[in-house]
Amino acid sequence: MEWLTALSVWMIPVLIGTVILVATIRRVPTYETFVSGAKEGFGMSVSIIPYLVGMLVAIYVFRASGAMEALVSGMAPFLSWFGVPADIVPLALLRPISGTGALGLMTDLTAVHGPDSYIGRLAATLQGSTDTTFYILTVYFGAVGIKKMGDALKVGLLADLVGIIAAIFIVSLIFGS
Amino acid sequence: MLLIGLVYAALNGTMSEVTEGVFTGAKEAVAICIGLISVLTFWLGLMKVAETAGILKQLAKLVHPLARRVFPEVPKDHPAMGYILSNLTANVFGLGNAATPMGIKAMEELKRLNGGKDEASRSMITLLALNTACLTLVPTTVISIRMSYESEAPTDIVSTTIFASGCAMIGAICIDRFFYYLRSRKERSS
């Protein structure tokens, strides 16, 4: 697996190098083109602000009110009945909502249970294999001004659920206690 | 979600935390967007170079046989396909902050294909689903956290992550198809 880690380190520099090289060979005015594309970056970031503020305020209120915790503790016994360790439940529920929050929880689980414990590995797999659905939804749709999102949220969250189930299954199969 | 939070806070007596939450949430959102400026500016510049040099078109051509099945609405050689592919590749290699600008670019092109409507098109939903549940080869952040806690084998979760994210990706495609099927049936009957 060493080569995979090396690959991810080399990926970005190689990518940048290739693009510049090909562009130079094909006589594209590289710097001018870069600047004209990069100009869009600022406006795009600013245009996301209203969407992200709306979404994050709702999420923060939901968490701060204690409703999130109530949901987690309400579901924990039900889930542990399926063999899902209770410690992992908050992480699984927080993962689609808040990227930094989930990362914090995962770090915490790693610290408390140890990185090579069953829970530590499950937390790591969960963190690595799913993404912050709400954030992606807001940023991607916000940047291009999509207001009606159709089935996107449902599809994203259900896919997260598949990922969570698959993570629990494979970790208990390989590293099971 | 906001309403549930407010009602729950009223019952639970956590109104002051909620008020604080409103402002931390708003602050966090702006902080994220400001942080995005640097990343977006750089990658959009580079992507423009790649597009002008014809790299994106070549990429689109290369994967078209496979991508056509997942994104049937995107025409051949369209730049959207190139952006979609670079976005998904960046995701696969765990390059989160490189993936976002490419994803946004892809969305822009898809919106153009959809006639500029403010409604999500079928391809947009598919792209989102693939982004929230994409095959991950190298979970870089996770590995570095495991290293900092002195794991004996920080990378031994790579295989489980590949498996779990692969399942999620297949799941995402199937679920997306299923919802599309439901939508089109509803449209036909009405």
Side-chain angles (χ1 to χ4, degrees):
Chain A
M1 289 302 161
E2 280 298 305
W3 65 274
L4 271 178
T5 323
L7 193 64
S8 77
V9 172
W10 279 85
M11 190 74 187
I12 289 189
V14 169
L15 189 75
I16 297 173
T18 317
V19 170
I20 306 278
L21 193 72
V22 173
T24 314
I25 292 172
R26 296 201 179 148
R27 300 188 178 280
V28 173
T30 315
Y31 187 69
E32 287 90 326
T33 317
F34 177 85
V35 170
S36 78
K39 268 184 194 152
E40 291 172 47
F42 187 80
M44 211 175 255
S45 317
V46 174
S47 69
I48 304 170
I49 292 179
Y51 296 88
L52 210 57
V53 167
M55 193 65 96
L56 280 193
V57 166
I59 289 169
Y60 271 66
V61 165
F62 190 65
R63 266 168 64 192
S65 70
M68 171 97 192
E69 243 170 82
L71 183 73
V72 169
S73 53
M75 280 172 83
F78 177 71
L79 285 169
S80 49
W81 192 67
F82 282 103
V84 181
D87 297 292
I88 212 80
V89 177
L91 178 64
L93 286 178
L94 193 61
R95 187 71 187 94
I97 297 177
S98 159
T100 42
L103 198 64
L105 264 182
M106 183 240 153
T107 315
D108 189 50
L109 285 173
T110 312
V112 172
H113 297 275
D116 297 316
S117 66
Y118 172 66
I119 288 182
R121 281 176 166 135
L122 184 54
T125 306
L126 258 186
Q127 179 72 25
S129 61
T130 54
D131 215 322
T132 319
T133 306
F134 280 95
Y135 169 81
I136 294 182
L137 199 79
T138 320
V139 170
Y140 283 22
F141 279 179
V144 296
I146 298 291
K147 293 190 184 90
K148 294 175 199 141
M149 29 190 184
D151 293 326
L153 186 62
K154 271 180 272 175
V155 175
L157 289 179
L158 282 172
D160 281 338
L161 185 67
V162 175
I164 291 167
I165 294 170
I168 293 170
F169 169 76
I170 190 74
V171 174
S172 61
L173 194 73
I174 294 186
F175 304 114
S177 40
Chain B
M1 198 149 52
L2 188 67
L3 273 179
I4 298 174
L6 287 179
V7 172
Y8 193 88
L11 299 172
N12 207 22
T14 44
M15 236 7 156
S16 63
E17 280 92 334
V18 162
T19 315
E20 214 187 299
V22 170
F23 295 109
T24 1
K27 203 168 133 190
E28 175 90 13
V30 176
I32 289 176
C33 292
I34 298 294
L36 271 176
I37 293 178
S38 59
V39 180
L40 275 176
T41 307
F42 175 72
W43 284 105
L44 288 182
L46 194 72
M47 289 311 276
K48 184 89 178 180
V49 176
E51 197 193 337
T52 324
I55 301 176
L56 283 180
K57 251 194 184 150
Q58 270 175 342
L59 273 180
K61 228 180 248 169
L62 209 68
V63 288
H64 195 260
L66 186 76
R68 194 182 47 200
R69 295 181 173 276
V70 188
F71 294 95
E73 290 177 345
V74 181
K76 202 178 178 181
D77 288 352
H78 195 274
M81 206 52 116
Y83 286 123
I84 290 174
L85 182 76
S86 12
N87 164 256
L88 294 179
T89 318
N91 260 318
V92 167
F93 289 98
L95 315 174
N97 45 3
T100 311
M102 297 169 188
I104 292 176
K105 263 309 216 195
M107 282 293 174
E108 230 171 39
E109 294 293 337
L110 290 179
K111 192 183 180 184
R112 205 164 297 154
L113 271 178
N114 198 29
K117 281 182 246 165
D118 66 352
E119 216 169 307
S121 70
R122 177 188 177 187
S123 320
M124 289 178 180
I125 297 177
T126 312
L127 180 61
L128 259 182
L130 282 179
N131 262 281
T132 65
C134 187
L135 180 70
T136 309
L137 287 184
V138 204
T140 346
T141 336
V142 171
I143 294 175
S144 62
I145 289 177
R146 289 172 59 77
M147 275 173 173
S148 65
Y149 283 97
E150 280 153 25
S151 163
E152 278 164 35
T155 51
D156 72 354
I157 44 90
V158 170
S159 56
T160 53
T161 304
I162 292 176
F163 177 84
S165 58
C167 287
M169 186 161 106
I170 296 167
I173 296 176
C174 297
I175 295 163
D176 176 53
R177 280 281 150 118
F178 176 67
F179 275 103
Y180 173 71
Y181 167 74
L182 288 186
R183 275 200 305 274
S184 54
R185 208 175 56 172
K186 209 195 280 171
E187 264 161 40
R188 243 177 285 144
S189 64
S190 66

